[in-house]
Amino acid sequence: MTQAQPASNSQAARITPYDVAEHLRTPEEMAAYLDAWLEEAPEDVAGIARALGDIARAKGMSQVAKDAGLSRESLYRALSSEGNPSFATVLKVAKALGLRLHAQPIEQVG
């Protein structure tokens, strides 16, 4: 019995990072993705901004920036993990993405 040799670098599996933007194809998927962030992590401002960024990348960052009246660079910066977009920017981006933010009462316990 012979021992298996480890795969060489050229044979090793190539691992590519997961990019959610590649899987957001329809307006319904985009809305559900943002809704999930708003529902599951409503205080995670950076996460919600990143979610908007993921959706913007799925739609095309240049077009979203144009529709929102922002430069592409400022949109990338605002929706990055280090970004802290103003509420006005969030509203402009949501509108450019064809999304509407929705309010509902928080369920009271007890």
Side-chain angles (χ1 to χ4, degrees):
M1 182 166 9
T2 61
Q3 288 186 342
Q5 297 294 321
S8 69
N9 285 344
S10 64
Q11 295 173 330
R14 302 221 191 271
I15 298 173
T16 57
Y18 179 79
D19 185 1
V20 72
E22 294 175 4
H23 304 281
L24 298 171
R25 295 180 183 99
T26 66
E28 292 78 17
E29 290 172 342
M30 294 172 186
Y33 179 62
L34 182 58
D35 238 7
W37 269 100
L38 293 168
E39 180 71 25
E40 298 298 321
E43 289 89 23
D44 186 357
V45 176
I48 293 167
R50 278 193 322 272
L52 284 170
D54 292 337
I55 298 166
R57 286 187 301 106
K59 285 199 88 161
M61 194 65 92
S62 295
Q63 186 62 49
V64 172
K66 180 181 174 189
D67 293 347
L70 303 167
S71 74
R72 196 172 134 269
E73 294 77 17
S74 66
L75 185 60
Y76 268 112
R77 195 171 32 258
L79 302 180
S80 73
S81 57
E82 295 84 31
N84 187 15
S86 69
F87 192 63
T89 297
V90 169
L91 292 176
K92 286 178 186 177
V93 170
K95 183 177 180 184
L97 292 172
L99 299 173
R100 183 179 333 169
L101 300 180
H102 176 77
Q104 68 184 46
I106 297 172
E107 293 181 21
Q108 300 296 321
V109 178

